[in-house]
């Protein structure tokens, strides 16, 4: 079990490094602020801890997919 945890950590670290290299920094985003959307609409209910987590996850996925009730 310990070996698989170590391996999982190694895989996660490698993915983070790859993401950092290719996605986190954006030449376009650094060249022109309009290239990065900082005004993303996020329904407040997704951050409302009074709403059960299970429901917030479903709402977040519906929002992401453009499915609104």
């Amino acid at each position: 079990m310990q070996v698989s945890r170590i391996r999982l950590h190694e895989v996660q670290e490698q993915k983070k490094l790859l993401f950092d290299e290719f996605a986190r920094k954006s030449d376009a985003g650094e060249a022109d602020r309009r290239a990065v959307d900082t005004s993303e609409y996020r329904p407040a209910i997704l951050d409302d801890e009074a709403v059960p987590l299970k429901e917030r996850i479903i709402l977040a996925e519906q929002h992401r997919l453009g499915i609104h009730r």
Side-chain angles (χ1 to χ4, degrees):
M1 188 67 148
Q2 184 66 15
V3 172
S4 61
R5 284 184 184 173
I6 292 171
R7 180 66 183 136
L8 179 60
H9 180 72
E10 290 171 354
V11 169
Q12 288 174 329
E13 185 62 27
Q14 182 62 31
K15 285 183 178 184
K16 180 186 175 300
L17 292 172
L18 286 171
F19 181 82
D20 287 347
E21 183 177 346
F22 292 105
R24 196 170 309 275
K25 284 238 173 203
S26 164
D27 292 337
E30 291 176 11
D32 188 345
R33 288 182 14 184
R34 294 173 296 170
V36 180
D37 182 10
T38 58
S39 64
E40 177 185 336
Y41 171 71
R42 179 179 170 83
I45 195 167
L46 298 181
D47 299 314
D48 185 352
E49 293 186 9
V51 177
L53 180 59
K54 180 179 169 180
E55 186 176 338
R56 286 187 283 151
I57 292 170
I58 292 169
L59 290 169
E61 283 301 296
Q62 289 173 338
H63 174 70
R64 183 180 67 83
L65 296 170
I67 304 169
H68 304 285
R69 310 192 234 169

